[in-house]
Amino acid sequence: MFDIKFTRENIELINRGIKEKGESVDINKFIKLDEKRRKLIGEIDDIRREKKKLSQDVAQLKRDGKDASNLISDSKSLSEKEKNLDSELQDVNSGIQEIMAGIPNLAHPDIPRDKETVVKEYGESSVGVLNLTPPRTADELCDSLEILDFSRGSKIAGTNFPCYLGLGARLERALINFMLDLHIKQGYTEVFPPFLVNRKSMFGTAQLPKLEDDMYFIPREELFLNPTAEVPLVNLHQDETLKADSLPIKYVGYAASFRREAGSYGKETRGLRRVHQFNKVELIKFTSPENSYEELESMLKDAEEVLKLLGLRYRVLLLPVNDLSFASSKTYDIEVWAPASQEWLEVSSVSNCESFQARRAGIRFKKSAVHSPQSTADSRQSVGSKTSFVHILNGSGVATPRTFIALIEQYQEKDGTIKVPDVLIPYMGGIDKIK
């Protein structure tokens, strides 16, 4: 979210950013409201100066023992006028804030504008899987081994809610614990956050107002079921000013995540590919602006390490502008290869939101003498201030549903069992095969 001055002075840049991300924002309405706002502020300031002078004149008349009733009456009239103008200004400010809440973050100038770019590819599918005729898909393996049951999940909650069973449940838990332990070793502080978040927190990370229809909402408490652990982890420092020497701050947290939207019916939505409830280990960094893109590359490597240790083939994509999220300036997607299904499945997005979320959530840091913002938006909005907004990075480290698919397809054996990757055997209590 940008400040009013920056938006006013960069209308062309803002308009281009809105179009690139496919959003619809009435910038002309913003311009008109902003002009009205400045006019009202001027009128209110004039009234306050006039009231101050009247107050001085009244005081002088009283000291001189003269009647000041006419001036007092004039001052009361001005106060009433000021009150009405203040009320009008509040309405105008609300209108401006509503428009500005719908303006997406600006994309980094160096990212592609048309289509995704494959940055790297790692690993290859197991020869054993490729020699199976044909290899079983994850859906078939889950059915035959009875490790996942959507029909029972539907009885309990509804469609697109998975129910892991037996060694399937144990494998899911093993994945979560393995990832948490790995990221802790990488220097992240573990957080086990609430699974419910309030409206202010959702606004801070920019899920609201844009994505409200995709969220599960509890009206009585005005709380949302957590759509991603990004929301509680970012808002740990809501309305705080951090010390420059404390940056970067790195958090990792697990949370069950809930989203209504499950895509259109078809191949891409079957099984675990798109569900209403899923597990994800989230990585969050609070950084200084000058280091945020270096920290983005580091976070990407931290997420990749999960798939390397699991022995899974994956690729990294640099997303074009039109595929960026509302809050992101630059995003890498990590896709894992499902060898039996013969498809790439997204398991992680690693993004730099620059100061966009920090402005919405009020997260600043005390600038050091060497502070030099990287982005145009930061440099134009922090001039002369002793504090600046942090840059916030987020990444899935990683989401489990599609990782689960790729893993069981990769490690299936001819007899229909699944070999447990070596790194997960300790988390499975020594079990090395699912059968």
Side-chain angles (χ1 to χ4, degrees):
M1 192 166 182
F2 307 110
D3 65 34
I4 294 175
K5 185 175 184 291
F6 175 82
T7 305
R8 179 195 310 130
E9 294 177 351
N10 294 276
I11 290 295
E12 185 177 335
L13 179 66
I14 294 290
N15 253 329
R16 184 166 68 248
I18 291 169
K19 291 176 182 177
E20 284 182 331
K21 287 197 173 180
E23 300 294 336
S24 178
V25 181
D26 192 343
I27 288 297
N28 288 329
K29 184 177 179 181
F30 164 81
I31 294 171
K32 291 177 181 176
L33 286 174
D34 182 46
E35 289 174 351
K36 187 174 182 180
R37 173 181 173 273
R38 284 185 284 168
K39 181 174 179 292
L40 286 169
I41 290 173
E43 291 176 1
I44 291 170
D45 286 344
D46 288 343
I47 287 174
R48 287 172 179 168
R49 279 192 293 269
E50 193 172 347
K51 282 176 62 181
K52 183 178 180 181
K53 185 177 182 305
L54 281 174
S55 178
Q56 292 170 345
D57 290 344
V58 167
Q60 185 61 51
L61 286 173
K62 287 184 176 181
R63 282 195 297 270
D64 295 341
K66 297 179 181 179
D67 181 18
S69 57
N70 288 338
L71 295 185
I72 293 172
S73 178
D74 290 343
S75 181
K76 288 181 178 179
S77 296
L78 286 173
S79 293
E80 187 64 28
K81 186 177 180 181
E82 180 187 3
K83 181 181 177 182
N84 292 335
L85 290 174
D86 269 331
S87 177
E88 191 175 353
L89 179 60
Q90 287 179 19
D91 291 340
V92 169
N93 282 333
S94 294
I96 288 174
Q97 290 304 310
E98 183 177 346
I99 293 170
M100 294 185 67
I103 297 175
N105 197 5
L106 298 175
H108 190 280
D110 293 341
I111 68 171
R113 257 52 192 171
D114 49 2
K115 61 180 181 179
E116 63 197 20
T117 302
V118 178
V119 176
K120 68 176 81 171
E121 191 169 329
Y122 176 88
E124 57 185 31
S125 296
S126 164
V127 174
V129 174
L130 298 176
N131 289 338
L132 294 178
T133 312
R136 293 184 180 183
T137 65
D139 295 333
E140 294 168 332
L141 288 165
C142 286
D143 288 343
S144 64
L145 295 170
E146 298 183 341
I147 57 176
L148 182 69
D149 194 324
F150 272 93
S151 64
R152 286 184 169 86
S154 295
K155 285 198 299 185
I156 298 166
T159 58
N160 295 107
F161 285 91
C163 182
Y164 296 87
L165 302 172
L167 291 181
R170 194 155 188 175
L171 178 61
E172 179 76 356
R173 180 160 52 90
L175 280 168
I176 294 167
N177 289 333
F178 155 66
M179 289 187 281
L180 286 171
D181 285 349
L182 172 63
H183 296 314
I184 290 168
K185 290 176 184 176
Q186 292 169 339
Y188 293 83
T189 298
E190 183 178 3
V191 180
F192 190 35
F195 284 9
L196 296 173
V197 290
N198 59 32
R199 187 172 289 276
K200 184 176 181 180
S201 296
M202 291 282 279
F203 179 84
T205 48
Q207 271 76 22
L208 298 185
K210 178 178 171 60
L211 301 175
E212 184 157 359
D213 289 344
D214 291 341
M215 303 299 143
Y216 284 96
F217 180 57
I218 306 170
R220 183 174 173 179
E221 287 82 9
E222 279 279 319
L223 292 172
F224 293 84
L225 289 180
N226 176 42
T228 164
E230 172 192 346
V231 180
L233 294 185
V234 166
N235 283 281
L236 283 173
H237 293 294
Q238 182 188 110
D239 295 325
E240 292 182 21
T241 299
L242 310 174
K243 294 180 180 179
D245 59 9
S246 72
L247 303 177
I249 296 173
K250 301 163 59 174
Y251 291 125
V252 60
Y254 156 74
S257 302
F258 304 86
R259 297 180 194 171
R260 289 184 186 278
E261 191 275 320
S264 57
Y265 181 79
K267 177 183 176 182
E268 74 281 1
T269 66
R270 73 180 189 274
L272 287 170
R273 284 160 182 77
R274 194 174 293 274
V275 289
H276 290 312
Q277 177 184 323
F278 58 97
N279 295 309
K280 183 155 72 89
V281 171
E282 188 75 14
L283 305 175
I284 293 292
K285 285 186 183 182
F286 300 87
T287 79
S288 59
E290 60 266 25
N291 296 326
S292 69
Y293 280 96
E294 179 183 338
E295 292 291 348
L296 179 68
E297 299 300 321
S298 174
M299 179 180 278
L300 175 63
K301 290 178 182 178
D302 292 340
E304 288 180 66
E305 189 66 16
V306 172
L307 303 177
K308 286 181 179 179
L309 290 173
L310 289 174
L312 298 176
R313 179 186 174 191
Y314 70 87
R315 66 182 184 182
V316 177
L317 308 177
L318 176 60
L319 296 189
V321 176
N322 57 302
D323 284 342
L324 291 180
S325 72
F326 184 84
S328 175
S329 287
K330 183 176 182 178
T331 295
Y332 292 108
D333 270 4
I334 304 177
E335 295 182 336
V336 69
W337 177 249
S341 303
Q342 291 287 293
E343 58 186 331
W344 291 103
L345 302 172
E346 180 196 332
V347 294
S348 176
S349 286
V350 181
S351 301
N352 188 348
C353 296
E354 294 194 355
S355 62
F356 190 78
Q357 291 179 323
R359 291 178 182 282
R360 298 169 77 104
I363 307 173
R364 297 171 171 83
F365 75 103
K366 291 183 179 179
K367 291 192 293 186
S368 64
V370 296
H371 171 72
S372 56
Q374 277 195 357
S375 73
T376 301
D378 285 333
S379 63
R380 295 185 190 178
Q381 297 181 91
S382 302
V383 176
S385 175
K386 293 182 180 180
T387 63
S388 183
F389 290 95
V390 296
H391 278 197
I392 299 177
L393 287 61
N394 67 77
S396 306
V398 295
T400 62
R402 295 170 184 174
T403 305
F404 191 100
I405 292 172
L407 190 149
I408 64 175
E409 289 191 2
Q410 174 78 23
Y411 285 94
Q412 64 179 297
E413 301 195 321
K414 288 184 179 180
D415 60 0
T417 61
I418 298 168
K419 181 181 180 301
V420 176
D422 290 344
V423 293
L424 294 184
I425 291 174
Y427 295 93
M428 294 284 290
I431 296 171
D432 61 2
K433 187 169 287 191
I434 296 174
K435 56 187 178 179

